[in-house]
Amino acid sequence: MLRKTGNNMKFKSIFFVLILLAFILPGTGICFDVTAKVDKSSISKEDSVFLTVVVRGPKADLDLSMIKDFKVISRGSSSSYNYINGKSERKASYQYVLIPLKKGILKIPAIKAVMDGETSFTKQIVIKVSDQMVNPDDVKALFATADVAKQNLFVGEQTVFSLKFFTSKRLSGLGFERPPEFKAFSSKPFEKEKNYTRNINGVLYNVTQVDYIIIPTGPGTFTIDPASLIARVIVESSRDSQFNSFFNNSFFSSNNFKPVRVVSNSIKIKVDPVPAYQGKFKFSGLVGSFGIKAKMDKTSLKAGESATLTIKILGSGNIMDASLPEMDLDQDLFKVYDDSPVETINLTEKGYEGSKTFKKAIVPVKSGKFLINPVSLVYFDVDKKNFKTISTGKILLTVSQSQEMHLAVSEMDPAKDKSIVKEEVSLVNKDILEIKEGVFVLENQREISPFFFVLLLSVPVVLFSGVKLFTLVAKKDLPVEKIMEDKAKNHLKKADKMDSLDKDFLGHLYSSLVALIFSKGKKRGETITIKEAQKILTKANVDELKIGGITHLLETIESFRFGGKKIDENKARELLAKTKQTMKLFCLALICVGVIFSFPQKVIADNSALFLDGIKNYKQGKFKQAAINFEALAQNNIKNPYLFYNIGNAHLKANDIGQAILWYERAKVLSPNDPDLKFNLEYANTLVKDKKEENLAMMDVLFFWDNLIPAKTIQITAIFLSFVFFTWAVVRVIKKQKIFSGTGIILFSLFVLVTAVVWVNYYKRSVRQNAVIVQDEVAVRSGITDTSTKLFNLHAGTKVKVEQRKTSHLKILFSNGKVGWVKIGQAVII
C-alpha cells in the first residue's frame, strides 16, 4: 500500500513538471524585444542619420512604412548567436540611412516588428534638423559631402563626382563601409585622392577628397545614394574611462580610438537624350568638345611610292569612342592601307582628355595632281547644346611618273598583292643580309654523345642521395605559424571547390579565416572570439583599418553560419573573394618577413631601406626614382617575380614602355600564370606601336604547360619525383620485391616525363632567347656597321627573337622575313 502511494506521488510530480514546462517553454520560444537607436539626434538638412534596429530573438519582419519625414535607405542586416554559461541568445541587427525631407523637429515613429504572430514596438525617436551646422566639437567634427561639377547632362557627357570627408579631429584610419554606387552611369575613380585643409566658421578641417569621372549611359533623372564611411577618431582617454578600453591602442597608451560612421548626402542628376541628328555627314557619337587635323608626310612623290596620311582627333569627352570619319578617296587613283589607331588619353580634373591618331598608307597609281578632300567630323557640343561639324584642310598631291613602277602599280590589288604595305611597318629599303664570315662556319656542330646523355640522366640519383642525407640530419618541425597558414589554405581550397549551398561551405570559410588569424599570433586554435581576434592582430602590428575589415568579415561569416538565415550565391562568392584577399595579404606579409630574416642583418637593413624608399617614391608619383630603387634590389641578386612586377609598374607609370615590358616579361618567366601580371602586361602591349601576328610553334603545342607553370615548379617536381621513385626502389629492394611493379612503372614514367620537360626547357632557353626593344625607335640594319642598309624600324616594347649574338650587336627576328641587326642596349635580352 505504501509503495502504491509513493508511485502515485511520483507520477503526480512528473505530471506537474510537464504542465509547468508546457506553459514556460512556449513563452520563452516566442519572447523577443526590439530596440532602435540613432548615431546622432541633431543634424543639418544636408546631413543624414544612421538608424540601427536590434531584435533580440530570431529575425523578425520590420515595418518602416510609418516613417514619413525621412527617405529610408537599407544598409543590410546581420545576425549573431551566442551561447554563454548555458544560456543561448540570438540577436538580429538591421541598418538604415535616413535622409531628412525637411527641417524642424522630425520624428521616427515606433517601428513595428512581427515574429511568429507576436508583435513588438520600438520607442519613438526625435531628430532636430536645422539649416546651420551644429557645434564643431559635437557631431560635426566629422562629416561628409558629395557634389558633382554638373547636374544637368546629356547621354555620353562626362562630369566629375566629388566625395569629401571633413574632420577637425585626429584619425587613425578612414575607409568605405559602402562606396558610392553609380547606377545608370559608367564610372572610374581618379588614381590619387586629394588632401588639404579648409576653414569653416572658424574651425580648421582636414579634407580628404575622392573624385570619380561618371558618364550617363541613358536618359532620365537619377539619384546617387549616399556613401558611407568609417573612421577611427583618436580621443583623449580619461581616468574613469570604462567603455573605450575595447579600442585601446597598445602603441598609444594615452589615447583611445572611437569608431565613427559618417554618411554623405545624395545627389540628383538629370540626363537628357542627345537630339536626333539630321545633317549631311554621319554623327560620330562623340559628346564633348573636339578638334580634328590632318597632314601628309610628303605631298610630292612618284607613282607607286607610298605616303602616310595622319588624321588626329583630339579633345575632351568620350574620346576613346572616336573612329575614323569617312573619306572620299578614288580607288582608281589610290591604293589605301590602314594602320591600327594610336590613342593617348588621360584622366584629368575635367574628365577624359586626349587624342586618337589614325594613319593610312596611300599609294597613288597614276601621275598628276590630285586633291584629297577634307575629312569632316560631327560631334555634339555640350556647351552649345547642339551638333557641330569640323573639317580638316584640303591636301594637294603632286605625283610624277615612275618608269619602273608605273605599269606594275596600275595593276595592283591590295587584297592580292602583298608587296606594297604601309611604310611604317615595311622594309624602308630592300637588301640582302651580309654573308657569313666567322670561323663558326667551319665548326663541326655534332650532337651530344650517348655517354654524356646518360651521365646527365644519372644526376638525379646523386641528388637523391644528398637530399636524403640532408633531410635525415637537418629535419626540423614546422613552425606553428606555417602549420596554421597551411591549414587556412587547405580550408579555403575546400570552400572554393564546394557549392555555396553546401552545409560545410561556411564552416570551411570560418576555419580558414580563424587559422589565418592564429598564424599571425603564432598560436594553435579552432575557434576565436572577435575580441581575441582583435587582440592577436593588434599585437601582430596589423593596421587598425585592416583589423576592422577582418573582424567584420569574421562577424559576417558567423552571422550566416549560426544565425539560421540562408545565404544566396552572390553573397557566398563575395565572402569567398574577401577571404581569398585576406589570405593573399597575410601570405605576402609572411613571405616578406621570411625573405628579410634569411639574410645577414646589414643586408636586411640595406634591402629593406631600398624597398621602402621605392614604395614611398612610387606612391608620391616619383616613378623613375621608384624604378631605380627596385632595380637596385634586383642587382643585389634578389630574383623575385613580385619585385620584377614592381619594376615594370614603375617604368610603365613613367611612360617607359620598353623597360616596363622587359621587366614584366622577366617576371613572367618566374610566374607565368599570375593574373595581375598578365593583366598589366596585356595593357602595356596595347601601347606598343609594332604589331605582328603570333605564330604558334610546334614546341609550344607539345609543351603547352610552359605558359601555365613556372619553370622552377617543374624543376622542383622533377626532383621530388626522383626522390619518390628512388625511395620506392630502396624500399622494394630491402623487401626483396620487384621495383617495376604497377606503382613503380607509374612513378618511373612520371619521373622520366617531367625530367625530359626540364631538359627541353634548358635547351629552349639556350637556343631560343627573346629580347625587348627598349629605345623609343630603333633602326634595324642588314649588318653590324652604321653604314649598313636600314631595313625597317622598331619601337619601344616590341618583343623580338634573338637569332645570333656578337660582341656589340644582336641579330633579331621580328616576324617572317623581317630579320636584321641592332645594337646591344637598343634591345635587352629577357
Side-chain angles (χ1 to χ4, degrees), residues 638-702:
I638 297 179
K639 195 173 183 180
N640 187 297
Y642 301 112
L643 175 62
F644 294 174
Y645 171 86
N646 285 354
I647 298 172
N649 274 15
H651 281 300
L652 187 60
K653 288 284 190 179
N655 294 322
D656 192 343
I657 306 301
Q659 289 289 342
I661 292 181
L662 171 66
W663 286 98
Y664 282 148
E665 290 287 351
R666 287 175 172 174
K668 186 180 176 182
V669 172
L670 301 176
S671 182
N673 208 29
D674 183 86
D676 293 346
L677 172 62
K678 289 170 66 176
F679 180 88
N680 283 9
L681 179 57
E682 288 175 3
Y683 171 76
N685 281 326
T686 63
L687 305 177
V688 179
K689 294 182 179 179
D690 307 313
K691 306 297 181 183
K692 66 176 179 179
E693 295 182 0
E694 296 289 345
N695 296 321
L696 196 62
M698 182 58 67
M699 295 292 285
D700 295 330
V701 175
L702 294 176

Side-chain angles (χ1 to χ4, degrees), residues 170-173 232-238 241 244-258 538-539 541-544:
R170 293 169 58 202
L171 301 179
S172 68
R232 291 182 182 272
V233 181
I234 300 176
V235 295
E236 296 296 331
S237 61
S238 62
S241 176
N244 292 329
S245 60
F246 182 83
F247 302 100
N248 255 355
N249 188 313
S250 59
F251 294 97
F252 303 97
S253 58
S254 61
N255 292 330
N256 290 325
F257 294 94
K258 178 182 179 182
T538 301
K539 189 174 181 180
N541 296 328
V542 178
D543 181 76
E544 286 284 340

Side-chain angles (χ1 to χ4, degrees), residues 161-207:
F161 174 91
S162 298
L163 182 63
K164 302 173 185 176
F165 177 82
F166 296 78
T167 175
S168 61
K169 293 190 175 183
R170 293 169 58 202
L171 301 179
S172 68
L174 173 66
F176 279 116
E177 179 189 48
R178 184 184 181 92
E181 296 181 358
F182 304 102
K183 298 176 182 178
F185 294 86
S186 63
S187 63
K188 183 177 180 179
F190 283 67
E191 288 189 4
K192 294 183 179 180
E193 63 185 29
K194 299 177 183 178
N195 294 282
Y196 53 92
T197 59
R198 178 169 294 178
N199 190 305
I200 302 176
N201 297 330
V203 179
L204 186 64
Y205 286 87
N206 293 315
V207 184

Side-chain angles (χ1 to χ4, degrees), residues 374-413:
V375 179
S376 298
L377 176 75
V378 179
Y379 71 93
F380 186 78
D381 192 322
V382 295
D383 294 328
K384 297 182 178 180
K385 299 182 181 180
N386 202 354
F387 292 94
K388 188 174 182 178
T389 302
I390 53 177
S391 303
T392 63
K394 296 179 180 180
I395 299 176
L396 180 63
L397 283 183
T398 302
V399 183
S400 59
Q401 188 171 359
S402 172
Q403 295 296 331
E404 296 179 359
M405 303 187 64
H406 178 70
L407 294 176
V409 173
S410 62
E411 298 175 357
M412 286 182 195
D413 185 346

Side-chain angles (χ1 to χ4, degrees), residues 62-130:
L62 301 183
D63 182 7
L64 281 77
S65 60
M66 297 301 292
I67 302 178
K68 305 296 184 182
D69 294 339
F70 299 86
K71 177 183 178 181
V72 181
I73 301 174
S74 175
R75 283 292 182 258
S77 63
S78 62
S79 61
S80 61
Y81 179 85
N82 297 316
Y83 190 82
I84 303 173
N85 297 327
K87 295 183 180 180
S88 61
E89 179 188 56
R90 287 188 177 184
K91 184 171 68 173
S93 179
Y94 304 82
Q95 292 82 34
Y96 303 92
V97 173
L98 306 185
I99 301 173
L101 300 177
K102 56 185 178 180
K103 63 180 181 179
I105 304 299
L106 307 186
K107 297 179 180 179
I108 302 175
I111 298 171
K112 179 181 177 182
V114 179
M115 184 188 69
D116 296 335
E118 295 292 321
T119 302
S120 185
F121 292 89
T122 66
K123 294 182 179 180
Q124 177 179 279
I125 301 175
V126 177
I127 305 293
K128 182 181 179 182
V129 181
S130 58

Side-chain angles (χ1 to χ4, degrees), residues 303-314:
E305 185 180 357
S306 68
T308 301
L309 171 64
T310 302
I311 300 174
K312 188 174 186 179
I313 301 174
L314 63 164

